[in-house]
Amino acid sequence: MEGIIAIWQRDMIKFFRDRPRMIGSFSMPVLFLIVFGVGMGGAMESLVTAGTGAEDFNYVEFIFPGIVSMTLLMTSIFSSLSVIQDRDFGYMREILVSPVSRVNIAIGKMFGSASVAFVQGVMMLVLMPFLGMRIDIVSFLQLLPVMFMIACAFSSLGLLVASLLNSMQGFQLVVNILVMPMIFMSGALFPLNNMPAWVDFLVTLNPVTYGVDLMKHIMIDVENLSSMVREEMGLNLTFFGQPVTTAGEVIFLLGFTALLIFLATLTFRRKN
């Protein structure tokens, strides 16, 4: 347990000392919020109003949970780059020859990346009042553990990728190829209705889909939306034809995290 805490603490100290990184990591989510929320908001709201008759639909409110999820995804995965950096500078070799088990090393790195992403996600919530959005204290308290769980799931993916690659350039290339399709095929920025069957299949397997859906059901008052609006905006998520429940999404993300941590641990043992 001490090894997990030490690895986690080191990653957190590095993050808080690197202020340009803290500020720069907001650029992409804020850019997407401006482009999709402001640039496309009017058109999307007009389409939803014409299709459902809902006059009070707010597109920015719909995509903001997706923007926060995108922040968690990008920050947690790119934070896993530290695994390759530690390997290059010899720090990882020192950890591997210590009594700390490979499992604890993987868990410590995952918690470090997830905590960094969680902090960034919480900082994104500061924008809510400026966007005319509100969240009650109960929903906020529900949101925090869900955000951390989502960050752990995405961090485990980044950790596995980092454990398989040997160079920072290769990691950045592979991650860029993975991240953008995962974001666009998750319903984070626009509803995924009436898609081809192969796209629906990929959306169903995409872990980001379930993280985004969890966030939306907490941050948006989905139950008070009309059935037509929920259907139009893709809020009636299914898993191969079966309705998805909150418990099912939590189990899926926890299972996804455990599987990837297990695979990352095996990779550490084989390569090091």
Side-chain angles (χ1 to χ4, degrees):
M1 188 65 182
E2 291 181 358
I4 294 175
I5 295 175
I7 294 171
W8 167 84
Q9 185 179 34
R10 178 177 180 270
D11 284 347
M12 294 302 295
I13 291 173
K14 286 176 60 180
F15 169 68
F16 284 112
R17 286 180 177 177
D18 192 354
R19 294 186 178 179
R21 176 187 172 190
M22 293 176 61
I23 298 173
S25 58
F26 282 105
S27 58
M28 186 63 72
V30 171
L31 177 62
F32 272 73
L33 185 62
I34 293 173
V35 171
F36 284 90
V38 179
M40 298 178 57
M44 290 297 298
E45 289 170 6
S46 298
L47 289 173
V48 173
T49 300
T52 65
E55 298 290 341
D56 58 347
F57 176 75
N58 187 338
Y59 182 64
V60 173
E61 183 179 351
F62 169 78
I63 68 167
F64 188 74
I67 295 294
V68 177
S69 300
M70 185 177 74
T71 303
L72 296 174
L73 172 64
M74 298 182 70
T75 305
S76 57
I77 288 185
F78 279 103
S79 294
S80 300
L81 179 63
S82 64
V83 172
I84 298 177
Q85 293 173 331
D86 290 343
R87 187 189 301 145
D88 290 342
F89 293 121
Y91 177 75
M92 184 60 68
R93 188 179 300 110
E94 296 178 6
I95 298 178
L96 291 170
V97 298
S98 70
V100 182
S101 69
R102 300 294 191 269
V103 175
N104 286 350
I105 293 173
I107 293 175
K109 296 300 293 184
M110 180 200 69
F111 279 149
S113 298
S115 297
V116 169
F118 175 76
V119 171
Q120 294 281 56
V122 171
M123 292 170 67
M124 284 293 296
L125 299 180
V126 176
L127 297 176
M128 291 184 68
F130 301 99
L131 299 173
M133 298 176 60
R134 295 181 180 180
I135 185 170
D136 59 78
I137 186 64
V138 174
S139 297
F140 181 74
L141 294 177
Q142 292 175 341
L143 184 64
L144 294 181
V146 168
M147 288 175 61
F148 188 74
M149 178 186 66
I150 293 172
C152 287
F154 299 157
S155 296
S156 64
L157 175 60
L159 182 64
L160 177 61
V161 174
S163 66
L164 291 170
L165 301 176
N166 295 319
S167 69
M168 291 185 285
Q169 294 83 359
F171 177 86
Q172 292 171 345
L173 177 63
V174 172
V175 164
N176 282 324
I177 294 173
L178 283 175
V179 166
M180 299 315 295
M182 291 176 73
I183 291 172
F184 285 117
M185 290 193 294
S186 67
L189 303 174
F190 45 82
L192 299 175
N193 293 331
N194 304 317
M195 293 290 180
W198 67 272
V199 175
D200 284 337
F201 179 76
L202 294 177
V203 169
T204 302
L205 296 181
N206 184 5
V208 184
T209 301
Y210 305 101
V212 170
D213 191 65
L214 270 174
M215 296 277 288
K216 286 181 178 178
H217 278 76
I218 294 175
M219 300 180 69
I220 302 174
D221 192 6
V222 175
E223 300 303 323
N224 288 331
L225 296 175
S226 68
S227 58
M228 293 181 64
V229 172
R230 291 201 300 269
E231 184 65 30
E232 186 75 16
M233 300 312 297
L235 296 174
N236 295 327
L237 193 63
T238 61
F239 184 81
F240 295 110
Q242 300 298 319
V244 173
T245 63
T246 298
E249 291 175 324
V250 171
I251 292 172
F252 180 91
L253 289 172
L254 290 177
F256 176 82
T257 303
L259 174 62
L260 266 62
I261 285 294
F262 173 73
L263 294 176
T265 301
L266 293 180
T267 305
F268 277 139
R269 288 175 176 172
R270 187 181 75 250
K271 296 192 68 172
N272 298 288

